[in-house]
Amino acid sequence: MNYISIQDIDDINAWIEAAKAIKSNPLGDVELGKHKTLGLLFFNSSLRTRLSTQKAALNLGMNPIVMNVSGDAWGIEFGDGTVMNGNTAEHIKEAAAVVSQYCDIIAVRAFPTLTDKAKDESEQVLNAFAKYASVPIVNMESATGHPLQGLTDALTISEYTTKPRPKVVLSWAPHVKALPHAVGNSFVEAMQKMDVEFVIANPEGYNLNPEITKDTPIYHNQAEAFIGADFVYTKNWSSYEDYGQIKNTDPNWMITNEKLGHAKFMHCLPVRRNVVVEDAVLDSDASLVIQQANNRTYAAQLVLKKILEDLQ
Amino acid sequence: MNYISIQDIDDINAWIEAAKAIKSNPLGDVELGKHKTLGLLFFNSSLRTRLSTQKAALNLGMNPIVMNVSGDAWGIEFGDGTVMNGNTAEHIKEAAAVVSQYCDIIAVRAFPTLTDKAKDESEQVLNAFAKYASVPIVNMESATGHPLQGLTDALTISEYTTKPRPKVVLSWAPHVKALPHAVGNSFVEAMQKMDVEFVIANPEGYNLNPEITKDTPIYHNQAEAFIGADFVYTKNWSSYEDYGQIKNTDPNWMITNEKLGHAKFMHCLPVRRNVVVEDAVLDSDASLVIQQANNRTYAAQLVLKKILEDLQ
Amino acid sequence: MNYISIQDIDDINAWIEAAKAIKSNPLGDVELGKHKTLGLLFFNSSLRTRLSTQKAALNLGMNPIVMNVSGDAWGIEFGDGTVMNGNTAEHIKEAAAVVSQYCDIIAVRAFPTLTDKAKDESEQVLNAFAKYASVPIVNMESATGHPLQGLTDALTISEYTTKPRPKVVLSWAPHVKALPHAVGNSFVEAMQKMDVEFVIANPEGYNLNPEITKDTPIYHNQAEAFIGADFVYTKNWSSYEDYGQIKNTDPNWMITNEKLGHAKFMHCLPVRRNVVVEDAVLDSDASLVIQQANNRTYAAQLVLKKILEDLQ
């Protein structure tokens, strides 16, 4: 069993209940992962994912081994048939098979190029691990998805909703750098599986991949989208259509307390204050960002638990 | 309970006795930290602190998680109200609160700028963690203090003294780089709490912060200060008055066997041989530097033990 | 007991049998290393060694502590009597003695310069640790040897041979970068201890150190060497005679299925595909490279086990 995308969740409500059970008793399965090793391979920077996934592994009694692939090792080659006389020193066929000899589960973080759409959508790194590793793979944020975050967010909404079918808005917000679509994509997929009223707000030219958004309503007027919102999940992403470009930095899309109304504010973090969202929101009780970060542990722990049970 | 400065030690003699008890039975509390996580966050390089603090955590049964903040994650913002459209990607308010979700204790290393005295004295990084984290904070060397080292040094002097009230000299020595005042400051504060005759020797223009040295005698004549010394603790620091500047590189301040007489030599390490101290000293039985390094484990273990007991 | 070179193996057949016993029951000694710490110090990049040595330590119940010396700490000085007013901040005399305070065993990786033959052959880093550390040292690849790899390779040949005295060929292959002699040297030394027919194939000007190859036959004609081969172990190295130089990049030395015949293919990895060996070999059942990588764990575990038993 791999955990590659939100689509690997068969029944999101059952998973949410299972995550809540873990959260109420984090050490309940501390024998399950005994003498099992989780390899955490980072091709990119990480804070929450790095710490929460290790914490989840420790709660299951596993031994985490962390590796910064670029810094600790060398360039990895992904091309088929390449004559490797350039900068890459090891092919993913060997690297994935080799790491599988030492780790019972491999978790991988690998961001997109944001310049080569086809390459990013092929999920070259993650899929190569899934193909060539002989052990289960967990996605710690790939080119197009961040399913540990998406599961976390579903859990958090389930915990904090005060009504059976809350209205959830995913709102784009401005940023100074070109950012990936991974968090947005996985949040969309998670919300499509939940019993919520879900809409997206983003400027024109910023629609996410239509194969992911499907028939989810997309508003280009933020105020209109926010009417009656119970949760506003905010995230910047670069243009998908004009791939990886920054087309808009309009500060009017920044989230403010005034815009939020009674809605709860969510963000995956890290967040740039007073660019994506004003201080007043993050410093208020409307913000759930720290609670989300806490839930990262239990989402990861659920995924690892399911894989460990599947290995038995 | 935080461990931020030597001033957090209520009774240094009691702490020294407790550290000696740990040293005589390092695994005596191996159940105390079971399933507890120590996050070690390094904004700067470290060898002794990195290894000894992990070792201390392991002796208490804790799980250490190490993170090089700059290399593994991204730039952290400390300013209030900043519009974060520059190089920092996450505010300390979030970072500290988030790490608190995964770690039961957070240990932080963050060196001074040595260019901005006010910023350094505000202990921006450490104090921000103390303010925004929801778990105890341990100082692994901050802008102005290194209290794990200071406690180590007090323990070492207590172990090696042959008289009730030894004479201890803190002597400046030359160096090629501008170094922080942290080790010097914490050693001064530790000695002021102990029953020793304590004096400082440094060139003119190199007095440490007078709010720390208080009424400790300061000699600008090294030979005079060394008369009757039982312990000579050596450390370079840059000028405090002319903040962060190198005003003096006089090799006559280097420590030699001849100067030491019967005194023991101490240094926190790393030490530049034949610049700070001649080979003959370090290679002789007068040197306690390796014993000090060993005591780093027990000082850290005492601090972690006290915090763990306080958490219960 | 240190493990510095293949020459530290007293009886290679007994060691191979012991490694096989560990492989059949990897957790059989999980209490042996309880509360013992293995320090892994990397002066250079590592993937297999980094992961497999940690895995071996975990199988023995040890706590591994990993440190990238250059990135996590600072430059280490190795010269005797140096006035340390340059780029190095700590002398190996202190560094090795200090790390010995925190770790029960120290494993070190330090590559050669490939520019200074005398310095490389003095094994400056490894020998300094062996001299100044007060705990056992394990070589995780040094300037002139990689004995954990050599032991792994001996184990793998023993597992896969179908005859009492197989023919083993060590063949040089082309590469774009100047590579060390360490793997080649340790493989030669391991084969000289085993009951195999062992020959070396390399271009003229590429003979390894004659003090290591001794009376092992060296062919400059690859095809001739390969006649009747059961195992072809391939590795690039730079010239030893014209030290560290690339004298030959002849693609005719690349390993192909046609050249291999019925022989098994071995390589320590990482390997550059279609430069050192063609895809067809690595993707065939003739390749043992993944099995070799797996055996890295058991070779390391045997070495650590022997050292732990010796410490008792």
Side-chain angles (χ1 to χ4, degrees), chain C residues 204-262:
Chain C
E204 290 194 35
Y206 270 92
N207 285 7
L208 289 166
N209 182 350
E211 291 182 26
I212 288 172
T213 54
K214 294 196 177 87
D215 57 359
T216 296
I218 298 174
Y219 293 78
H220 298 317
N221 179 324
Q222 196 185 39
E224 200 182 336
F226 279 27
I227 294 170
D230 297 296
F231 295 90
V232 170
Y233 194 101
T234 305
K235 182 76 185 78
N236 171 270
W237 56 82
S238 55
S239 176
Y240 177 77
E241 290 168 34
D242 199 354
Y243 191 68
Q245 297 303 302
I246 297 181
K247 312 287 290 182
N248 189 327
T249 56
D250 183 358
N252 288 318
W253 279 81
M254 184 175 80
I255 308 300
T256 63
N257 259 339
E258 192 185 346
K259 288 182 187 180
L260 271 186
H262 83 285

Coordinates of all heavy atoms in Angstrom, one line a residue, chain C residues 204-262:
Chain C
E204 N 46.4 0.1 -19.3 CA 47.8 0.5 -18.9 C 47.8 1.9 -18.2 O 47.0 2.7 -18.6 CB 48.7 0.5 -20.1 CG 49.0 -0.9 -20.7 CD 50.1 -0.9 -21.7 OE1 51.1 -0.1 -21.5 OE2 50.0 -1.7 -22.6
G205 N 48.6 2.0 -17.3 CA 48.6 3.3 -16.5 C 47.6 3.4 -15.4 O 47.5 4.4 -14.7
Y206 N 46.8 2.3 -15.3 CA 45.8 2.3 -14.2 C 46.0 1.2 -13.2 O 45.0 0.9 -12.4 CB 44.4 2.1 -14.9 CG 43.8 3.4 -15.2 CD1 44.0 4.0 -16.5 CD2 43.1 4.2 -14.3 CE1 43.4 5.2 -16.8 CE2 42.5 5.4 -14.6 CZ 42.7 5.9 -15.9 OH 42.1 7.1 -16.2
N207 N 47.2 0.6 -13.1 CA 47.4 -0.4 -12.1 C 47.2 0.3 -10.7 O 47.6 1.4 -10.5 CB 48.8 -0.9 -12.1 CG 49.0 -1.9 -13.3 OD1 48.1 -2.0 -14.1 ND2 50.2 -2.5 -13.4
L208 N 46.5 -0.5 -9.8 CA 46.4 0.0 -8.4 C 47.7 -0.1 -7.7 O 48.7 -0.7 -8.3 CB 45.3 -0.9 -7.7 CG 43.9 -0.7 -8.2 CD1 43.0 -1.8 -7.6 CD2 43.4 0.7 -7.7
N209 N 47.8 0.4 -6.5 CA 49.0 0.4 -5.7 C 49.6 -1.0 -5.7 O 48.9 -2.0 -5.2 CB 48.6 0.9 -4.3 CG 49.8 0.9 -3.4 OD1 50.9 0.4 -3.7 ND2 49.6 1.5 -2.2
P210 N 50.8 -1.2 -6.2 CA 51.4 -2.6 -6.2 C 51.6 -3.2 -4.8 O 51.6 -4.4 -4.7 CB 52.7 -2.4 -6.9 CG 53.0 -0.9 -6.9 CD 51.7 -0.2 -6.8
E211 N 51.6 -2.4 -3.8 CA 51.7 -2.9 -2.4 C 50.4 -3.6 -2.0 O 50.4 -4.4 -1.1 CB 52.1 -1.8 -1.4 CG 53.5 -1.3 -1.6 CD 53.9 -0.3 -0.6 OE1 53.4 -0.3 0.5 OE2 54.8 0.5 -0.9
I212 N 49.3 -3.2 -2.7 CA 48.1 -3.9 -2.4 C 47.8 -5.0 -3.4 O 47.4 -6.1 -3.0 CB 46.9 -2.8 -2.5 CG1 47.0 -1.9 -1.2 CG2 45.6 -3.5 -2.6 CD1 46.1 -0.8 -1.2
T213 N 48.0 -4.8 -4.7 CA 47.7 -5.9 -5.7 C 48.7 -7.0 -5.5 O 48.4 -8.2 -5.8 CB 47.8 -5.3 -7.1 OG1 49.1 -4.7 -7.3 CG2 46.7 -4.3 -7.3
K214 N 49.9 -6.8 -5.0 CA 50.9 -7.8 -4.8 C 51.1 -8.7 -6.0 O 51.4 -8.2 -7.1 CB 50.6 -8.6 -3.5 CG 50.7 -7.8 -2.3 CD 50.7 -8.7 -1.0 CE 50.9 -7.9 0.3 NZ 49.6 -7.4 0.8
D215 N 50.8 -10.0 -5.9 CA 51.0 -10.9 -7.0 C 49.7 -11.3 -7.8 O 49.7 -12.2 -8.5 CB 51.8 -12.2 -6.6 CG 51.0 -12.9 -5.5 OD1 49.9 -12.4 -5.1 OD2 51.5 -14.0 -5.1
T216 N 48.7 -10.5 -7.5 CA 47.4 -10.7 -8.2 C 47.7 -10.4 -9.7 O 48.2 -9.3 -10.0 CB 46.3 -9.8 -7.7 OG1 46.0 -10.2 -6.3 CG2 45.0 -9.9 -8.5
P217 N 47.3 -11.3 -10.6 CA 47.5 -11.1 -12.1 C 46.7 -9.8 -12.5 O 45.5 -9.7 -12.2 CB 47.0 -12.3 -12.7 CG 47.0 -13.4 -11.7 CD 46.7 -12.7 -10.4
I218 N 47.4 -9.0 -13.3 CA 46.7 -7.8 -13.9 C 46.8 -7.9 -15.4 O 47.9 -8.1 -16.0 CB 47.5 -6.5 -13.4 CG1 47.4 -6.4 -11.9 CG2 46.9 -5.3 -14.1 CD1 48.2 -5.2 -11.3
Y219 N 45.6 -7.8 -16.0 CA 45.5 -7.9 -17.5 C 45.2 -6.5 -18.0 O 44.4 -5.8 -17.4 CB 44.3 -8.8 -17.9 CG 44.5 -10.3 -17.6 CD1 44.3 -10.8 -16.3 CD2 44.9 -11.1 -18.6 CE1 44.5 -12.1 -16.1 CE2 45.1 -12.5 -18.4 CZ 44.9 -13.0 -17.1 OH 45.0 -14.3 -16.9
H220 N 45.8 -6.1 -19.1 CA 45.4 -4.9 -19.8 C 44.5 -5.2 -20.9 O 44.0 -4.2 -21.6 CB 46.7 -4.1 -20.2 CG 47.6 -3.7 -19.1 ND1 47.1 -3.2 -17.9 CD2 48.9 -3.8 -19.0 CE1 48.1 -3.0 -17.1 NE2 49.2 -3.3 -17.7
N221 N 44.2 -6.4 -21.1 CA 43.2 -6.8 -22.1 C 42.0 -7.4 -21.4 O 42.0 -8.5 -20.8 CB 43.8 -7.9 -23.0 CG 42.9 -8.4 -24.1 OD1 41.7 -8.5 -23.9 ND2 43.4 -8.7 -25.3
Q222 N 40.9 -6.6 -21.4 CA 39.7 -7.0 -20.7 C 39.1 -8.3 -21.1 O 38.8 -9.1 -20.2 CB 38.7 -5.9 -20.8 CG 37.6 -5.9 -19.8 CD 36.5 -4.8 -20.1 OE1 36.1 -4.6 -21.2 NE2 36.0 -4.2 -19.0
A223 N 39.1 -8.5 -22.4 CA 38.4 -9.8 -22.9 C 39.2 -11.0 -22.4 O 38.6 -12.0 -22.0 CB 38.4 -9.8 -24.4
E224 N 40.5 -10.9 -22.4 CA 41.3 -12.0 -21.9 C 41.0 -12.3 -20.4 O 40.9 -13.4 -20.0 CB 42.8 -11.6 -22.1 CG 43.7 -12.8 -22.2 CD 45.2 -12.3 -22.3 OE1 45.4 -11.2 -22.9 OE2 46.1 -13.0 -21.9
A225 N 40.9 -11.2 -19.7 CA 40.7 -11.4 -18.2 C 39.4 -12.0 -17.9 O 39.2 -12.8 -17.0 CB 40.8 -10.0 -17.5
F226 N 38.4 -11.7 -18.8 CA 37.0 -12.2 -18.5 C 36.8 -13.6 -18.9 O 35.7 -14.2 -18.5 CB 36.0 -11.3 -19.3 CG 35.7 -10.0 -18.7 CD1 36.6 -9.3 -17.9 CD2 34.5 -9.3 -19.0 CE1 36.3 -8.1 -17.3 CE2 34.2 -8.1 -18.4 CZ 35.1 -7.5 -17.6
I227 N 37.7 -14.3 -19.5 CA 37.5 -15.7 -20.0 C 37.2 -16.5 -18.7 O 38.0 -16.6 -17.8 CB 38.7 -16.2 -20.8 CG1 38.8 -15.4 -22.1 CG2 38.6 -17.7 -21.0 CD1 40.1 -15.7 -22.8
G228 N 36.1 -17.2 -18.7 CA 35.7 -18.1 -17.6 C 35.3 -17.4 -16.3 O 35.2 -18.1 -15.3
A229 N 35.0 -16.1 -16.4 CA 34.7 -15.4 -15.2 C 33.3 -15.8 -14.6 O 32.4 -16.0 -15.4 CB 34.7 -13.9 -15.4
D230 N 33.3 -15.9 -13.3 CA 32.0 -16.2 -12.7 C 31.4 -14.9 -12.1 O 30.2 -14.7 -12.0 CB 32.2 -17.2 -11.5 CG 32.6 -18.5 -12.1 OD1 31.9 -19.2 -12.8 OD2 33.8 -18.9 -11.8
F231 N 32.3 -14.0 -11.7 CA 31.9 -12.7 -11.1 C 32.7 -11.6 -11.8 O 34.0 -11.7 -11.8 CB 32.1 -12.6 -9.6 CG 31.2 -13.6 -8.8 CD1 31.6 -14.9 -8.5 CD2 29.9 -13.2 -8.4 CE1 30.8 -15.8 -7.8 CE2 29.1 -14.1 -7.7 CZ 29.6 -15.4 -7.4
V232 N 32.1 -10.6 -12.3 CA 32.8 -9.4 -12.7 C 32.5 -8.2 -11.8 O 31.3 -7.7 -11.8 CB 32.5 -9.1 -14.2 CG1 33.1 -7.7 -14.6 CG2 33.0 -10.2 -15.1
Y233 N 33.4 -7.8 -11.0 CA 33.2 -6.7 -10.1 C 33.8 -5.5 -10.9 O 35.0 -5.4 -11.2 CB 34.0 -6.9 -8.8 CG 33.6 -5.9 -7.7 CD1 32.7 -6.4 -6.7 CD2 34.1 -4.7 -7.7 CE1 32.4 -5.5 -5.7 CE2 33.7 -3.8 -6.7 CZ 32.9 -4.2 -5.7 OH 32.5 -3.4 -4.7
T234 N 33.0 -4.5 -11.1 CA 33.4 -3.3 -11.9 C 33.5 -2.1 -11.0 O 32.7 -1.9 -10.1 CB 32.4 -3.1 -13.0 OG1 32.3 -4.3 -13.8 CG2 32.9 -2.0 -13.9
K235 N 34.5 -1.3 -11.3 CA 34.7 0.0 -10.6 C 35.6 0.9 -11.4 O 36.7 0.4 -11.8 CB 35.3 -0.3 -9.2 CG 35.5 0.9 -8.3 CD 34.2 1.3 -7.7 CE 34.3 2.6 -6.9 NZ 34.4 3.8 -7.8
N236 N 35.3 2.1 -11.4 CA 36.3 3.1 -12.0 C 37.2 3.5 -10.9 O 36.8 3.6 -9.7 CB 35.6 4.3 -12.6 CG 36.6 5.4 -12.9 OD1 36.9 6.2 -12.1 ND2 37.1 5.3 -14.1
W237 N 38.5 3.8 -11.3 CA 39.4 4.6 -10.4 C 40.2 5.4 -11.2 O 40.5 5.1 -12.4 CB 40.2 3.6 -9.4 CG 41.0 2.6 -10.1 CD1 42.2 2.7 -10.7 CD2 40.6 1.2 -10.3 NE1 42.6 1.5 -11.2 CE2 41.7 0.6 -11.0 CE3 39.5 0.4 -10.0 CZ2 41.6 -0.8 -11.3 CZ3 39.4 -0.9 -10.3 CH2 40.5 -1.5 -11.0
S238 N 40.7 6.5 -10.7 CA 41.7 7.4 -11.4 C 43.0 6.7 -11.3 O 43.3 5.7 -10.6 CB 41.7 8.7 -10.7 OG 42.0 8.6 -9.4
S239 N 43.9 7.2 -12.1 CA 45.3 6.6 -12.2 C 46.0 6.7 -10.8 O 45.8 7.7 -10.1 CB 46.1 7.4 -13.2 OG 47.5 6.9 -13.2
Y240 N 46.6 5.6 -10.4 CA 47.4 5.6 -9.2 C 48.8 6.1 -9.5 O 49.4 6.9 -8.8 CB 47.5 4.2 -8.6 CG 48.3 4.2 -7.4 CD1 47.9 4.6 -6.1 CD2 49.6 3.6 -7.4 CE1 48.6 4.6 -5.0 CE2 50.4 3.6 -6.3 CZ 49.9 4.1 -5.1 OH 50.7 4.0 -3.9
E241 N 49.4 5.6 -10.6 CA 50.7 6.0 -11.0 C 50.8 7.6 -11.2 O 51.6 8.2 -10.6 CB 51.2 5.3 -12.3 CG 51.4 3.9 -12.2 CD 51.5 3.2 -13.5 OE1 52.0 3.8 -14.5 OE2 51.1 2.1 -13.7
D242 N 49.9 8.0 -12.1 CA 49.9 9.5 -12.4 C 48.7 10.0 -11.5 O 47.6 10.2 -11.9 CB 49.6 9.7 -13.9 CG 49.9 11.1 -14.3 OD1 50.3 11.9 -13.5 OD2 49.8 11.3 -15.5
Y243 N 49.0 10.2 -10.2 CA 48.0 10.1 -9.1 C 46.8 11.0 -9.3 O 47.0 12.3 -9.5 CB 48.7 10.5 -7.8 CG 47.8 10.2 -6.6 CD1 47.5 8.9 -6.3 CD2 47.3 11.2 -5.9 CE1 46.7 8.6 -5.2 CE2 46.5 10.9 -4.8 CZ 46.2 9.6 -4.5 OH 45.4 9.3 -3.4
G244 N 45.7 10.4 -9.4 CA 44.4 11.2 -9.4 C 44.0 11.7 -10.8 O 43.0 12.3 -10.9
Q245 N 44.8 11.3 -11.8 CA 44.5 11.8 -13.1 C 43.6 10.9 -13.9 O 43.6 9.7 -13.6 CB 45.8 12.0 -13.9 CG 46.8 13.0 -13.4 CD 46.1 14.4 -13.3 OE1 45.7 14.9 -14.3 NE2 46.0 14.9 -12.1
I246 N 42.8 11.4 -14.8 CA 42.0 10.6 -15.8 C 42.9 10.5 -17.0 O 43.1 11.4 -17.7 CB 40.7 11.3 -16.1 CG1 39.9 11.4 -14.8 CG2 39.9 10.5 -17.1 CD1 38.5 12.1 -15.0
K247 N 43.4 9.3 -17.3 CA 44.2 9.0 -18.4 C 43.5 8.3 -19.6 O 44.0 8.2 -20.7 CB 45.4 8.1 -18.0 CG 46.1 8.4 -16.7 CD 47.0 9.6 -16.9 CE 48.2 9.3 -17.8 NZ 49.0 10.4 -17.8
N248 N 42.3 7.8 -19.3 CA 41.6 7.0 -20.3 C 40.1 7.1 -20.0 O 39.7 7.0 -18.9 CB 42.1 5.5 -20.0 CG 41.6 4.6 -21.1 OD1 40.5 4.7 -21.7 ND2 42.4 3.6 -21.4
T249 N 39.3 7.3 -21.0 CA 37.9 7.2 -20.9 C 37.3 6.3 -22.0 O 36.2 6.5 -22.4 CB 37.3 8.7 -21.1 OG1 37.7 9.2 -22.3 CG2 37.7 9.6 -19.9
D250 N 38.1 5.4 -22.5 CA 37.7 4.5 -23.6 C 36.4 3.8 -23.3 O 36.4 2.9 -22.4 CB 38.9 3.5 -23.8 CG 38.6 2.6 -25.0 OD1 37.5 2.7 -25.6 OD2 39.5 1.8 -25.3
P251 N 35.4 4.1 -24.0 CA 34.1 3.4 -23.8 C 34.1 1.9 -24.1 O 33.2 1.2 -23.7 CB 33.1 4.1 -24.8 CG 34.0 4.8 -25.8 CD 35.3 5.1 -25.1
N252 N 35.2 1.4 -24.7 CA 35.3 0.0 -24.9 C 35.5 -0.8 -23.7 O 35.3 -2.0 -23.6 CB 36.4 -0.3 -25.9 CG 36.1 0.1 -27.3 OD1 35.0 -0.1 -27.8 ND2 37.0 0.7 -28.0
W253 N 35.8 -0.1 -22.6 CA 35.9 -0.8 -21.3 C 34.6 -0.8 -20.5 O 34.5 -1.4 -19.5 CB 37.0 0.0 -20.4 CG 38.4 -0.4 -20.8 CD1 39.2 0.0 -21.8 CD2 39.2 -1.4 -20.1 NE1 40.4 -0.6 -21.8 CE2 40.4 -1.5 -20.8 CE3 39.0 -2.3 -19.0 CZ2 41.5 -2.3 -20.4 CZ3 40.0 -3.1 -18.6 CH2 41.2 -3.2 -19.3
M254 N 33.6 -0.2 -21.0 CA 32.2 -0.3 -20.4 C 31.8 -1.8 -20.4 O 32.1 -2.5 -21.3 CB 31.2 0.5 -21.2 CG 29.8 0.6 -20.5 SD 28.7 1.7 -21.3 CE 28.2 0.7 -22.7
I255 N 31.1 -2.2 -19.3 CA 30.6 -3.5 -19.2 C 29.3 -3.7 -20.0 O 28.4 -3.0 -19.8 CB 30.4 -4.0 -17.7 CG1 31.7 -3.6 -16.9 CG2 30.1 -5.4 -17.6 CD1 33.0 -4.3 -17.4
T256 N 29.3 -4.8 -20.8 CA 28.1 -5.1 -21.5 C 27.7 -6.6 -21.2 O 28.5 -7.4 -20.8 CB 28.3 -5.0 -23.0 OG1 29.3 -5.9 -23.4 CG2 28.8 -3.6 -23.4
N257 N 26.4 -6.9 -21.5 CA 26.0 -8.3 -21.4 C 26.8 -9.2 -22.2 O 27.1 -10.3 -21.8 CB 24.5 -8.4 -21.8 CG 23.6 -8.4 -20.6 OD1 24.0 -8.7 -19.5 ND2 22.3 -8.1 -20.8
E258 N 27.2 -8.8 -23.4 CA 28.0 -9.6 -24.3 C 29.3 -10.0 -23.6 O 29.7 -11.2 -23.7 CB 28.2 -8.9 -25.6 CG 28.7 -9.8 -26.7 CD 29.0 -9.0 -28.0 OE1 28.6 -7.8 -28.0 OE2 29.7 -9.5 -28.8
K259 N 29.9 -9.0 -23.0 CA 31.2 -9.3 -22.4 C 31.1 -10.2 -21.2 O 32.0 -11.0 -20.9 CB 31.9 -8.0 -21.9 CG 32.4 -7.0 -22.9 CD 33.0 -5.8 -22.2 CE 33.4 -4.8 -23.3 NZ 34.0 -3.6 -22.6
L260 N 30.0 -10.0 -20.5 CA 29.8 -10.7 -19.2 C 29.7 -12.3 -19.4 O 30.1 -13.0 -18.5 CB 28.5 -10.3 -18.5 CG 28.6 -9.1 -17.5 CD1 27.2 -8.9 -16.9 CD2 29.7 -9.3 -16.5
G261 N 29.0 -12.7 -20.5 CA 28.8 -14.1 -20.6 C 27.9 -14.6 -19.5 O 26.9 -13.9 -19.2
H262 N 28.3 -15.6 -18.8 CA 27.4 -16.2 -17.8 C 27.8 -15.5 -16.4 O 27.2 -15.9 -15.4 CB 27.6 -17.7 -17.7 CG 28.8 -18.1 -16.9 ND1 30.1 -18.0 -17.4 CD2 28.9 -18.5 -15.6 CE1 30.9 -18.4 -16.5 NE2 30.3 -18.7 -15.4

